[in-house]
Amino acid sequence: AVCSVKELFVPENHVETSRAEAETLPTLEINKLDLQWVQVLAEGWATPLTGFMREREYLQCQHFGCLLDGGVSNQSIPIVLPVHNEDKEKLSGTDAFALTYNGRRIAILRSPEFYVHNKEERCCRQFGTSNQGHPYVKMIFARS
């Protein structure tokens, strides 16, 4: 069970250091939807998540509709960051990389974990269909 909201903003006294660090890191360009998920995560709306879902959290969300680590927290919507294979190869083995939107560094993702994104299973579990006539299913299949 969650007792408090966990915001993920950089503390004010570390902003300049974090900006300087982000300038030295490899980057991953994200789209507007990913940027919106970054905002949801940063503001703590997805507490207890501390970033995009790791595979364990993703599977709990998909199979049980909740997160089970540290108590039960409702979480039926996966919050994941789809990554193209080329980007995955480029970023595999890095300890951290910067997320960019329209070329502007907006976040640092640390200890990244890459895993298979089974789109058909995700859509069937989340929406009850994998028919690409459904707008969100179409969007998921169009992503990496």
Side-chain angles (χ1 to χ4, degrees), residues 28 82-92 114-117 119 143-144:
L28 175 68
V83 177
H84 293 284
N85 285 335
E86 306 83 52
D87 290 322
K88 177 183 162 185
E89 290 170 13
K90 175 182 88 171
L91 298 169
S92 286
F114 300 100
Y115 51 91
V116 175
H117 183 195
K119 298 173 190 177
R143 305 276 320 266
S144 37

Side-chain angles (χ1 to χ4, degrees), residues 15 18-19 46 48 64 66 73 84 94 104 110-111 117 126:
V15 169
S18 294
R19 281 189 181 143
F64 304 116
C66 59
S73 298
H84 293 284
T94 60
R104 184 173 159 249
R110 298 187 190 286
S111 304
H117 183 195
Q126 190 172 350

Side-chain angles (χ1 to χ4, degrees), residues 72-126:
V72 177
S73 298
N74 288 334
Q75 183 67 49
S76 59
I77 305 297
I79 301 178
V80 295
L81 180 63
V83 177
H84 293 284
N85 285 335
E86 306 83 52
D87 290 322
K88 177 183 162 185
E89 290 170 13
K90 175 182 88 171
L91 298 169
S92 286
T94 60
D95 294 330
F97 56 87
L99 299 178
T100 60
Y101 179 70
N102 289 336
R104 184 173 159 249
R105 287 167 170 77
I106 52 109
I108 296 174
L109 198 148
R110 298 187 190 286
S111 304
E113 179 182 28
F114 300 100
Y115 51 91
V116 175
H117 183 195
N118 188 333
K119 298 173 190 177
E120 186 172 6
E121 179 182 10
R122 174 185 175 185
C123 291
C124 287
R125 289 184 180 278
Q126 190 172 350

Side-chain angles (χ1 to χ4, degrees), residues 18-34:
S18 294
R19 281 189 181 143
E21 178 189 5
E23 290 296 325
T24 68
L25 295 171
T27 61
L28 175 68
E29 182 71 19
I30 61 174
N31 65 24
K32 186 174 183 177
L33 178 63
D34 300 328

Side-chain angles (χ1 to χ4, degrees), residues 1-5 47:
V2 176
C3 296
S4 64
V5 172
T47 298

